[in-house]
Structures are given as structure tokens and as C-alpha cells.
Amino acid sequence: MKAVGVVPSRKEVRQLEHPHPQITRDNEVHIRTLEVGICGTDREICTFAYGQPPAGDDYLVLGHECLGEVVEVGAKVRHFKTGDLVVPSVRRPCPDPNCIPCREGRQDFCSTWKFTERGINQRHGYMTEYFVEEEAYLTPVPKSLRDAAVLAEPLTIAEKGLAQAWLVQKRVPGWEHHNRDGKGRGHGKTAVVLGAGPIGLLGAMKLLIEGFKVFVYSRSPKPNFKADLAESIGAEYISAVKMGADDFSQKVGNIDLVYEAVGEGSVSFDVMRVLGINGVFIFTGIPAQKPAIPIRADSTMRNITLKNQALIGTVNASPQAFIDAIHDLGEFKRRWPAAVKALITGRHKIDAHRELLVGKAQGIKNVIEFA
Ligand code: BGC
Ligand code: ZN
């Protein structure tokens, strides 16, 4: 079968021949890959700074943002049948019997760090024509989301991040935890999204449907197509080059929540310094190692204490986050059909993999079609 992956020992990014997998256990599902999104993690693996092939293989098949179609089910598979659309998750549990998160299906909180990840860490990914996966790691997708569900995995980052924020903000009287008035749990609150890539724009959509007033704070000056997209969904876009963090916070007022999706330390810590009273800051980025930078540590720390702030890091996602992502993509499509379409910059054939993985990053979300 055709696949796309890396051979770290030879520093190669290329098309590979990968064996066609078969169902070997009753709870497995055989899936035809329809499309796979490319993200910063894939591009980083292609610099050989991250990622690891499965034991015994010299290559790693890439891809963890996938939409597939069921072609065959094992005898004990209960929730899927041939023809169903599915999105598989990424992380698989560690083997340690004492790792409670993994034993409870919450390997996104694995406590040993011995988890594996498809397409990233010791398991082959989905940039291949077919794959086999256990039913438990699949989320069903309605046919109406055939054109958007490849965005589900990147959206799970926002789903898990926001779920954490609601839990943490239970500490603050006045943060709503129910959509009581139908205006959303974030109604009356201000959220700032750092970065206007796919994670940022999907995060902005999620925050908007939760009722927040949303500002997208990103480098590029207006006009640019990401700013246009952000404003078309009802967020306000502000360029970090045109307005520094202090002026930005003056303009925005109390920043109740920051959703970091820029993957870069300097702007993140600059905005952390202007996080508002009782605010929560959610980190999702995984920056590459760079030289140390100065940050205004004392004023930031002073605010963290005096303003009761909370900082949350979030990685990977729960099964519920996948269910929520599929649900919310439906809502996004109802509200903003053109914007959801515009998030997917291009659908490419497998031959384009090199340019997409090692060429200059372009557009928002690029996808490789396998079928
Ligand atoms: C994926 C996560 C994964 C993380 C770290 C991200 O790109 O979306 O599922 O846990 O990389 O490997
Ligand atoms: Zn990713």
C-alpha cells in the first residue's frame, strides 16, 4: 500500500510501501483512509526533532488527523458497520497497571509518559490507504460532515482545553457552567485567541459558540486572509505587530480567558502579563527549542497572584472531546459554512506530500486525499 512517512535513520521524508493491515481481533475495524490533515507536529517530525517509529521498524507512517470509511468490522464490533465514516484518535494507553488515567481510557493524562501516539510516537499513522483500529478509538461521523470531519482532531485540542477551563473556573463565583439563558456559558466574558492558524481559528469558533466575545491576536497585519476569516465568523482580529500587549489589553478590557495557539513563547508570555482578573490561560502550543528570551517575570507573577489567575497546559484529547468536536463541527457548518470551507486551504494528491511537509507552510489546513 502507498503511505507517506519518515525514515529517521536516513533523514528521509518520502512515499513508502507499507503492508496492508488485516483485522486480527474481534474488536477491530478495517478502515479506508479518505483524507488526512497536515499539522505542525507532522512538519516537526519531518525535521527529525520529534517522532519515533514503532519498535522494529525503521520508518514511521505519518498522519494523526484522519477521516476514514469503514470497510470491514470484527465479529464483536458493536457500533460500526461498513460504509460508516469515522475519525480515529491519536494516543494509545501505556502498559503500566498503576497508570490510572490510561486504565480509565484517559491516556491524554497518562501519568507515566509511556503512551504511544499514532503517526507520532511508536505507532504508524494514517497517511496510508487503509488501517486497522480498535472500535474503542473511533468516533462516528455523520455523512453530512464528510467535507469537514478531517478538522475534528485539531478541534479536539480546543474541546479538551475549554473543558479544562470550565473545571478550573468553577473556583470563580459568576463563571457560568450551564448555558442557562441560551447565550452560552461564555456570555459576557472576553476570550483572546493567540494565533490564527487552524488550532487558533477552530478555537475561536468554539469560543464563539460558547458565547464569548472573541479577539484573535496574531502577528500578520491586516488585511490578510486569516484576519478576514476570523472577522467573517464574528471575532475581532488585531495584529500583534501593530498593537503591543499593553495597548491591546487596554482596548479589550478584562481578559477572562486566553487560548494560546501560536506555539511561540514571547507573545504568549507578553499576553500572560495582561491576563485579566480571575483569568485563565490555556497553553496548547509546543514550541521548538530556541535561545532563552527575557520575560517580565515579576510583573507577570505579581498578576498571577493578585488576580487569582490559572494557567493550564493541555495536550491530546479525551474520547468525549472527539464526540464534542464532531458535534461542534456541525454547529460551525450551520453558522459559518463558507468559513469552515475556507479553513481547508487545499486537498492534495499524495505526490504533493514533500512540498506540504517540508516546503514553506502555506494557507490554513492542508489535506492529503487517499481515496
Ligand atoms: C496532536 C496530539 C499529540 C501532540 C503531541 C499534536 O499535534 O494533535 O494528539 O498528543 O501532537 O505529540
Ligand atoms: Zn496535529
Side-chain angles (χ1 to χ4, degrees):
M1 264 180 348
K2 281 188 223 159
V4 171
V6 290
V7 188
S9 59
R10 289 197 238 135
K11 298 233 183 315
E12 286 175 357
V13 176
R14 62 177 174 88
Q15 194 172 316
L16 302 156
E17 244 331 276
H18 182 58
H20 192 145
Q22 300 299 328
I23 289 181
T24 56
R25 279 180 296 171
D26 284 351
N27 62 349
E28 289 177 340
V29 181
H30 186 184
I31 296 153
R32 182 163 73 113
T33 307
L34 297 176
E35 44 191 26
V36 182
I38 291 180
C39 85
T41 301
D42 301 309
R43 292 172 56 87
E44 197 185 7
I45 297 170
C46 291
T47 70
F48 309 100
Y50 195 59
Q52 201 184 324
D57 281 350
D58 68 341
Y59 66 94
L60 171 73
V61 175
L62 287 169
H64 58 273
E65 304 182 359
C66 173
L67 170 67
E69 181 185 3
V70 173
V71 291
E72 186 193 357
V73 295
K76 294 219 173 93
V77 168
R78 291 178 40 224
H79 302 289
F80 298 97
K81 58 177 191 322
T82 302
D84 286 353
L85 297 179
V86 294
V87 167
S89 68
V90 182
R91 195 175 278 193
R92 300 293 169 262
C94 78
D96 189 331
N98 297 316
C99 180
I100 296 170
C102 283
R103 301 292 68 77
E104 294 188 358
R106 288 303 304 272
Q107 50 272 16
D108 58 307
F109 277 109
C110 174
S111 61
T112 66
W113 260 41
K114 299 214 168 78
F115 59 82
T116 55
E117 289 182 334
R118 290 202 68 153
I120 302 175
N121 196 340
Q122 299 167 74
R123 277 180 197 265
H124 289 306
Y126 306 117
M127 283 190 197
T128 176
E129 295 172 85
Y130 294 86
F131 63 95
V132 164
E133 189 48 275
E134 288 178 31
E135 167 169 37
Y137 301 129
L138 302 172
T139 304
V141 174
K143 293 274 189 307
S144 58
L145 289 180
R146 167 67 179 84
D147 57 344
V150 71
L151 298 170
E153 195 280 339
L155 177 57
T156 62
I157 308 290
E159 298 290 353
K160 177 178 169 184
L162 208 54
Q164 303 304 300
W166 294 124
L167 287 172
V168 169
Q169 293 305 80
K170 271 199 177 151
R171 70 202 174 108
V172 183
W175 268 70
E176 285 295 340
H177 302 288
H178 305 287
N179 186 0
R180 268 192 218 135
D181 50 9
K183 292 177 181 158
R185 293 180 284 183
H187 182 67
K189 301 236 160 356
T190 297
V192 169
V193 174
L194 301 183
I199 303 282
L201 291 168
L202 286 165
M205 289 180 173
K206 172 64 182 168
L207 290 160
L208 284 163
I209 67 169
E210 293 277 6
F212 287 90
K213 179 164 192 210
V214 177
F215 293 84
V216 174
Y217 189 59
S218 188
R219 186 178 300 267
S220 306
K222 290 206 276 188
N224 68 73
F225 74 103
K226 292 178 185 171
D228 292 346
L229 204 157
E231 299 203 328
S232 78
I233 60 175
E236 187 171 336
Y237 181 96
I238 294 173
S239 161
V241 172
K242 294 276 173 191
M243 195 186 283
D246 293 290
D247 290 342
F248 175 64
S249 79
Q250 283 294 313
K251 177 185 163 63
V252 166
N254 196 68
I255 301 176
D256 298 294
L257 182 148
V258 175
Y259 182 70
E260 177 278 318
V262 67
E264 202 265 321
S266 77
V267 65
S268 300
F269 281 85
D270 232 23
V271 173
M272 187 188 293
R273 189 173 46 80
V274 298
L275 179 63
I277 298 164
N278 302 332
V280 56
F281 192 110
I282 308 167
F283 278 105
T284 79
I286 312 173
Q289 296 289 341
K290 290 195 287 293
I293 50 164
I295 60 165
R296 285 164 61 181
D298 286 321
S299 49
T300 306
M301 178 169 163
R302 211 182 141 82
N303 275 340
I304 292 173
T305 304
L306 291 175
K307 296 185 178 168
N308 284 300
Q309 295 169 344
L311 312 178
I312 308 174
T314 183
V315 67
N316 200 255
S318 63
Q320 186 62 46
F322 276 84
I323 293 168
D324 294 343
I326 295 297
H327 173 269
D328 287 343
L329 277 173
E331 184 60 24
F332 296 175
K333 269 190 73 173
R334 268 186 293 282
R335 290 204 198 187
W336 311 295
V340 172
K341 216 169 175 184
L343 283 175
I344 301 180
T345 312
R347 290 188 152 88
H348 309 264
K349 295 288 163 220
I350 191 169
D351 324 322
H353 69 274
R354 272 202 71 81
E355 184 53 32
L356 298 170
L357 287 163
V358 300
K360 188 174 179 299
Q362 265 169 12
I364 304 175
K365 177 59 71 186
N366 284 291
V367 166
I368 298 183
E369 291 178 316
F370 283 86

